[in-house]
Amino acid sequence: MPTYPWELMTSHFGPPIDLSDLPNSIRVDLRPRRPVFVGRVSTKDNQNPASSLPRQVALASERLEEREEFVAHFWDVESGMLPPELRGLGTQEMYDALAVPIPRDGGLQDLVDRAEQLGVTHVLAERSDRVARAMLTSLTVEHELERIGVEVVYANEPTGGTESGRLRTRRYSQVDAEIYRATLMEMSMGGQFQHAVQGWNHGYPPYPYVAVIDENAPVRERGRFGAERPKRKLVPHPDPRRFDAARELCRLRREEHLKAADIIAILASDPEQYPIDGQWTHNRVEGLIANPKLTGYQVYNRKATRTGREGFSRLNPISQWVWSPKAVHESVVSVQEWKQAQEITAALRAGAQGGGSMLRIRAAARRLGLTIAAVESNETHTLYRIGGRQVALPNPVPDTVVQRIIDDLEGAA
């Protein structure tokens, strides 16, 4: 049952005689005390869980009663900005490799889920931000635990005094933690924005590029957490066929309005011209077409990676993307060409287009054993090599021209 402040108060106005021997003299919790520890370290790289967590246990232990020990230990190596359900997603092997000299019975979400089953009576932590830096999260956890009669105790809070004073101290600490969280996010995102604006790459390089260390980038002296990771910029992949393949892939969407399956069939038909590690897939094709880095600009904040679903990223709206002020690496397509490709993609997904007119020409050529390759193109026309001859076709190809080309191919055959 939840405990309210007035239930914790002791009356200073006692009876005229001693009534302490009566059965209902004081409130007695018939459950045996079963305290557990809860802790958190933000990262395994910039902090040392093997030293931080034992220190937290030692501080929290000061609020144990004499000869009392924790019956379980719940801790995470996760950001305090995450809600409980997104904590503890690391593998057991990762936690074992940390060599933390205290047992781990689960994370914060495990504690909330199993507290009643385990008969937990008290949850002890060093301070409130070890539960969460977001005030709503820590309040929710406290409420869920208090609802089943579990008291949450923070070692840095004073003992004695009034319940209102204790509550004021706790809430001030939680407000401070949330303000710190917001400040940290502002500074972190600001740094990431500048990283992109100055032309340095985030994440894995797209197919036609590799990321190399920028020798001209400023290097910060070794700091508290060791040497800073070097800044990297994108340069064309050593295999020039990748650049040509990416350019052709984008052109097939932009000019021929082909869906991913059709593009994959074309690329897979000539692995020498369109090399790929593994095989061309729907996600690879659509991901490249949608990637604005192919324009030569550095772009950040396209995806929100923390979604709770492993391997899944939520796309942010384009208005939230951060672009470098100018092109910072060699481009595969122009910004205008990239935009046109996105418009065609949107139309295909909406079902407005059933495929490009070139599909009919390609199908006819395939039946006749002929190959089609784009030689060069501009804004209005594309020069194709069909079998042994070259044909210049407008973008897009009108139906009347499509039929004439097909008739000419069949007549020549």
Side-chain angles (χ1 to χ4, degrees):
M1 295 295 292
T3 302
Y4 300 100
W6 54 86
E7 295 178 319
L8 300 175
M9 294 176 62
T10 300
S11 173
H12 296 288
F13 305 96
I17 63 173
D18 183 11
L19 301 180
S20 60
D21 56 340
L22 292 179
N24 194 33
S25 176
I26 59 173
R27 180 183 295 275
V28 177
D29 190 345
L30 298 179
R31 299 177 303 168
R33 279 178 60 96
R34 290 181 61 83
V36 300
F37 165 79
V38 64
R40 180 187 58 80
V41 177
S42 294
T43 70
K44 61 183 176 63
D45 299 317
N46 292 343
Q47 291 178 285
N48 185 357
S51 59
S52 178
L53 285 162
R55 180 187 60 79
Q56 294 178 40
V57 171
L59 291 172
S61 298
E62 295 179 5
R63 301 298 290 270
L64 292 172
E65 293 189 350
E66 188 176 357
R67 292 190 296 276
E68 193 173 53
E69 295 180 352
F70 291 120
V71 299
H73 298 77
F74 296 89
W75 49 270
D76 291 310
V77 180
E78 290 281 6
S79 168
M81 303 177 190
L82 295 175
E85 64 271 16
L86 297 187
R87 306 263 188 97
L89 299 181
T91 63
Q92 186 59 44
E93 289 75 14
M94 184 273 285
Y95 282 103
D96 292 341
L98 297 175
V100 177
I102 59 173
R104 182 176 187 270
D105 299 282
L108 180 61
Q109 186 62 57
D110 298 303
L111 167 61
V112 174
D113 293 340
R114 297 166 53 197
E116 189 170 18
Q117 173 190 351
L118 295 174
V120 175
T121 60
H122 295 78
V123 171
L124 279 63
E126 177 196 4
R127 57 180 190 264
S128 63
D129 64 0
R130 294 302 182 185
V131 173
R133 291 199 183 279
M135 188 173 183
L136 178 60
T137 300
S138 58
L139 288 175
T140 302
V141 170
E142 289 175 12
H143 174 75
E144 288 299 311
L145 293 174
E146 289 173 357
R147 183 179 58 82
I148 58 175
V150 178
E151 182 180 354
V152 179
V153 179
Y154 299 128
N156 69 330
E157 292 178 352
T159 58
T162 63
E163 173 64 12
S164 61
R166 185 196 67 82
L167 194 61
R168 181 177 292 108
T169 300
R170 175 169 295 191
R171 296 296 178 255
Y172 282 170
S173 296
Q174 290 167 327
V175 169
D176 286 342
E178 179 137 354
I179 292 174
Y180 176 82
R181 166 182 176 266
T183 303
L184 196 66
M185 284 297 297
E186 290 170 352
M187 292 190 297
S188 175
M189 290 301 291
Q192 297 300 325
F193 289 176
Q194 286 301 314
H195 185 89
V197 165
Q198 295 180 44
W200 296 309
N201 187 59
H202 289 85
Y204 194 78
Y207 166 78
Y209 299 99
V210 293
V212 299
I213 295 176
D214 185 357
E215 301 294 346
N216 297 319
V219 179
R220 193 180 67 178
E221 293 183 4
R222 185 179 180 87
R224 175 185 174 190
F225 301 129
E228 189 179 51
R229 286 181 296 179
K231 308 290 187 182
R232 296 180 181 271
K233 59 183 180 181
L234 295 179
V235 297
H237 194 279
D239 186 347
R241 295 176 300 171
R242 289 198 174 212
F243 230 71
D244 295 335
R247 187 174 288 116
E248 174 64 5
L249 178 150
C250 294
R251 189 198 67 79
L252 290 170
R253 171 60 54 83
R254 185 180 67 253
E255 296 181 3
E256 300 190 21
H257 300 188
L258 300 189
K259 295 182 179 179
D262 302 312
I263 295 175
I264 290 171
I266 294 170
L267 299 179
S269 67
D270 192 350
E272 283 298 318
Q273 186 174 357
Y274 309 120
I276 185 70
D277 297 329
Q279 60 183 1
W280 290 102
T281 64
H282 180 277
N283 286 343
R284 279 180 166 177
V285 168
E286 293 294 349
L288 269 178
I289 292 172
N291 198 325
K293 292 183 182 180
L294 269 60
T295 65
Y297 287 77
Q298 194 56 251
V299 184
Y300 174 67
N301 202 38
R302 295 172 55 225
K303 298 179 180 180
T305 56
R306 280 289 190 180
T307 61
R309 291 172 56 189
E310 188 174 355
F312 179 81
S313 298
R314 184 183 69 247
L315 293 177
N316 290 327
I318 295 177
S319 60
Q320 294 181 7
W321 296 2
V322 177
W323 296 68
S324 59
K326 60 182 181 180
V328 292
H329 51 261
E330 187 174 344
S331 64
V332 173
V333 295
S334 69
V335 177
Q336 186 61 37
E337 288 172 334
W338 179 84
K339 180 183 178 182
Q340 291 170 357
Q342 310 319 302
E343 292 170 342
I344 300 302
T345 297
L348 290 173
R349 289 177 177 171
Q353 313 220 17
S357 53
M358 277 298 296
L359 271 180
R360 294 170 55 195
I361 299 177
R362 288 183 179 277
R366 192 161 48 248
R367 289 195 306 269
L368 298 170
L370 303 174
T371 59
I372 296 181
V375 179
E376 58 180 326
S377 65
N378 57 31
E379 294 182 359
T380 60
H381 287 74
T382 298
L383 180 64
Y384 291 93
R385 182 183 297 108
I386 305 177
R389 61 175 176 166
Q390 293 187 345
V391 181
L393 299 177
N395 302 322
V397 186
D399 288 340
T400 54
V401 175
V402 170
Q403 191 57 51
R404 187 160 62 246
I405 294 297
I406 293 175
D407 291 343
D408 289 346
L409 293 176
E410 292 176 343

